[in-house]
Amino acid sequence: MNLSSPDVSPPDQALVSPAVQPCDHPQQNPLKIGIMASGTGSNFVAIADAISQQHLAAQIQLVIYNNPNAPVADRARERGIPAALLNHRDFSQREAFDQQIVDLLHTADVEWVVMVGWMRRVTHVLIDAFPDRIINIHPSLLPSFPGIRAIEQAIEYGVTISGCTVHIVRLEVDSGPILMQAAVPVHPEDTPTSLHHRIQVQEHDIIIQAIAQIAQPHTSHNLLTHRH
Amino acid sequence: MNLSSPDVSPPDQALVSPAVQPCDHPQQNPLKIGIMASGTGSNFVAIADAISQQHLAAQIQLVIYNNPNAPVADRARERGIPAALLNHRDFSQREAFDQQIVDLLHTADVEWVVMVGWMRRVTHVLIDAFPDRIINIHPSLLPSFPGIRAIEQAIEYGVTISGCTVHIVRLEVDSGPILMQAAVPVHPEDTPTSLHHRIQVQEHDIIIQAIAQIAQPHTSHNLLTHRH
C-alpha cells in the first residue's frame, strides 16, 4: 500500500475543521475578550500575536491567572496587557472565586471569555454571567479523553489520531457545543511531550480561528444554531 | 484567518495514521483471511479489488454473512469467492453460533479474520479460536462513539471531525488495540448519509492498509507490542 495516495495527508499534516466556515467580513469594533489561564500561556501568546499582527479583530482586555508562578503573567505584562492573579486557595467556595472572576471580567468590559489551560472547574456563577460566551480549548478530539491528563490518556489508549477541540463551556467538564477541532497523528514513538507539542501547534491555530468566527458578526449568531 | 495555510488540509482531505508504518517487504505466501459481513459489503469489495489488482498480498478464503439478504453474498460469488450464510436466528446460544463460525473458518484454513460491518456481538468462542487475530472496522474515531449508530452519534454530538478505526477485536464492543485510524471533517450540512459516504472512502483505505500490515511478516509481530 502506498501512504502517499492523493487524498491522504502526509504523516505530519493536520486536519482542521470548523463547525461554521469563517467569512471575510471585517468587523468595525474588535471583540473584547478576557483570557483565563493557569499555565505557560502559549495559547495566550498565539492569540496576542495574531491580534498585534492584525490577523484577528479582537482585543485582550485582561488576563486572569490562578497560579502565582504562571509564566502567562509575565508574558501578558511584557505586552502591556493587564494580568490579574486570583488564587483559588484564597477562597473557600468555588462560587465566591468565580464571582470575583466575574467582577474582574465585567470591570474590564469583557464580551467573551477564552479559557486556555484554565485548570479549575467552573460554577454556574461564571456560566450564568457569560451565557454561551465562554470558550475553552481542550487537548483531545472530544468526546474522547475529557478531563485532566488528556494527552496521557490518548497515548495510554493507543489511538493513532488525536487532536484538540474548541468548545463552548458548560457546567459539565469538557462538554458543550464544539466550535472547531483539529486532528493530528499519534506516532508509536510519541511521548506525552512530543504529542503535546504537535497538538499545541494546532491549538494555536484553532483557538485563533474560533475567536475570529466569534468576532465576525455575520457568523457569530449562528455558532450554536446548527445542531445544538 | 486563512484556512488555506500550508500546514492545514483542505476541507475534504483526510488524515490517515497507522499504529505501525507499513514496510515494503513482499511476502512469499499471501495472508489467508476470512471476511465476516452483515451488509452491503463495500469494504469486502475494496479488499477483493485490492487483492485482484495485486495491491494486497492476501487471499480471501471465505465470506461469512448472517443476513440472508446481504448484498455481500452476491458480490463474493460473482468474484468466485465462497460465501457462507450463517443465520444467527437459527441458533439459540451466541456461543453455538460462534462455534459454527469457527468451524467454517478453520475448514477454510483462515489465518486472520476481518470483520467489515459485522453486526453481532462476539463471544469468547470466536476470540479464543483466533486470539488477537480478528480485526474490525468501526465508523468513528474510537474511543468516541462506540457501538451502534456511530455516525448518527457523531452528528448528534456535533463533532467537526470524525473518522474510522481498525482495531483488534476483544470481548467488549469496539474496544481492543487500535491498528489504524483516519479522520475526516464533519460539515454543518452533513446528514448521516453524506458523512457515511465520506467515512466509507477512508474505511476502504485503512482496512486495506491494516491487512497489508498484518500480511507483512516484518511488522505483524510488532502490531501489539508498542503500547498494549
Side-chain angles (χ1 to χ4, degrees), chain A residues 48-83:
Chain A
D49 288 352
I51 292 171
S52 65
Q53 292 160 16
Q54 303 194 316
H55 294 158
L56 184 57
Q59 186 171 308
I60 303 174
Q61 306 288 104
L62 175 68
V63 175
I64 295 176
Y65 62 107
N66 70 318
N67 179 344
N69 303 314
V72 68
D74 288 338
R75 295 185 176 188
R77 293 192 186 104
E78 70 199 19
R79 285 168 174 78
I81 295 170

Side-chain angles (χ1 to χ4, degrees), chain A residues 1-3 5-22 24 50 55-56 141-145 154-162 164 174-190 201-202 205 208-209 212 216 226-228, chain B residues 1-3 5-22 24 50 55-56 141-145 154-162 164 174-190 201-202 205 208-209 212 216 226-228:
Chain A
M1 287 302 296
N2 180 5
L3 270 179
S5 63
D7 60 345
V8 167
S9 311
D12 264 297
Q13 279 203 339
L15 175 68
V16 176
S17 183
V20 179
Q21 294 292 335
D24 294 324
H55 294 158
L56 184 57
L141 289 174
L142 291 172
S144 287
F145 315 125
I155 287 182
E156 286 159 13
Y157 193 98
V159 292
T160 67
I161 292 179
S162 192
C164 48
D174 298 325
S175 69
I178 289 173
L179 299 186
M180 196 159 322
Q181 295 185 299
V184 302
V186 183
H187 302 308
E189 66 275 17
D190 265 326
V201 172
Q202 299 306 317
D205 191 54
I208 292 168
Q209 287 195 40
Q216 286 159 354
H226 71 291
R227 276 187 201 126
H228 285 269
Chain B
M1 288 300 297
N2 179 4
L3 270 179
S5 63
D7 60 346
V8 168
S9 310
D12 265 299
Q13 280 203 339
L15 175 69
V16 176
S17 184
V20 179
Q21 295 291 332
D24 293 325
H55 294 157
L56 183 58
L141 288 173
L142 292 172
S144 286
F145 314 126
I155 287 182
E156 286 159 13
Y157 193 98
V159 292
T160 67
I161 291 178
S162 192
C164 47
D174 298 324
S175 68
I178 289 172
L179 299 187
M180 196 161 319
Q181 296 185 298
V184 301
V186 183
H187 302 308
E189 65 275 17
D190 265 326
V201 172
Q202 300 306 317
D205 192 54
I208 292 167
Q209 287 195 40
Q216 285 158 355
H226 70 290
R227 276 187 202 125
H228 285 267

Side-chain angles (χ1 to χ4, degrees), chain A residues 94-95 98 120-128 132 134 167-177:
Chain A
R94 287 181 192 272
E95 287 76 8
D98 275 4
R120 306 298 301 168
R121 285 195 69 146
V122 300
T123 70
H124 68 92
V125 172
L126 184 55
I127 303 280
D128 294 349
D132 283 344
I134 307 171
H167 64 94
I168 302 280
V169 173
R170 296 279 164 85
L171 269 185
E172 193 183 341
V173 172
D174 298 325
S175 69

